[in-house]
Amino acid sequence: MTNLPESAAAPADPADPGRDERPPVGVGPWDGPWPEGGHWDPDLLRGGDRRNVADRYRYWLHDAIVADLDTRRHDFHIAIENWQHDLNIGTVVRTANAFLAKEVHIIGRRRWNRRGAMVTDRYQHVRHHPTVEDFLGWARSEGLAVIGIDIFPDSVPLETYDLPRNCVLVFGQEGPGLTDEVHAAAEATLSIEQYGSTRSINAASAAAIAMHAWVRRHAFGQAVR
């Protein structure tokens, strides 16, 4: 097999100011005899795979990719409250896909801006809960520890907290933060240490930090001190 690397591109013609100098995304049509297996997508083999997927999933059917991810998903979930159409949700979904969260949960409004997800929501399970009560009932039924991420007087540092393996990390609406209902129901509320002039960081950035903390603890076995 010979793939076209994602960085491959013909040299730009300086005499053609209209030429697109950006390298093509993905890989071109499959070169050589087609591979055998039910996970291959014949349309992609024939026309090339320009999707934003890892190299191991080039030319795979979408459903086959999701099925393979489902065999390896981590034991943490992510939830974010969405009462004011939070624009961070798309980025949170994209990051949850990168760290292979079990599911992303949207609490409140069902509609959310998918632009920031960069199509990763097609590979990440996303569940909607119309109310906090519905979400908390689901978490209890699954035996998951509810861990809030926000700045409260009773918050403890994320950096020194031993995150449980089976948990759901909950983030509030950008600005207002976690609702009182989630704060009261959480097993713990964690804060992220900051050293600059601002009081808080962006919700999507906080989610990425918290997810990586779980990965460091449970995928790499790094104990907290």
Side-chain angles (χ1 to χ4, degrees), residues 45-138:
L45 291 170
R46 183 180 303 110
D49 188 351
R50 303 302 181 182
R51 300 171 301 176
N52 181 22
V53 296
D55 288 344
R56 65 176 294 180
Y57 293 128
R58 290 296 180 200
Y59 306 109
W60 281 38
L61 291 161
H62 167 265
D63 290 348
I65 295 175
V66 175
D68 186 69
L69 293 173
D70 286 346
T71 67
R72 302 185 292 107
R73 293 191 190 276
H74 290 131
D75 294 320
F76 73 92
H77 296 245
I78 294 296
I80 185 166
E81 297 190 86
N82 184 37
W83 309 110
Q84 302 172 6
H85 199 61
D86 196 325
L87 298 179
N88 288 284
I89 293 177
T91 304
V92 172
V93 170
R94 182 180 182 183
T95 306
N97 170 265
F99 290 124
L100 208 55
K102 185 80 74 176
E103 288 186 328
V104 174
H105 301 262
I106 312 298
I107 307 169
R109 297 181 60 175
R110 178 181 292 274
R111 296 186 62 185
W112 54 279
N113 190 328
R114 285 169 165 76
R115 184 173 182 179
M118 299 293 288
V119 196
T120 56
D121 54 306
R122 296 190 61 202
Y123 305 93
Q124 178 64 53
H125 298 300
V126 180
R127 187 192 299 250
H128 174 248
H129 303 271
T131 65
V132 171
E133 182 181 12
D134 178 78
F135 163 73
L136 293 174
W138 167 84

Side-chain angles (χ1 to χ4, degrees), residues 21 27 32 38 45 50 54 59 84 115 147-148 164 179 182 222:
E21 298 182 10
V27 291
L45 291 170
R50 303 302 181 182
Y59 306 109
Q84 302 172 6
R115 184 173 182 179
I147 306 295
T179 58
V182 172
Q222 296 182 9

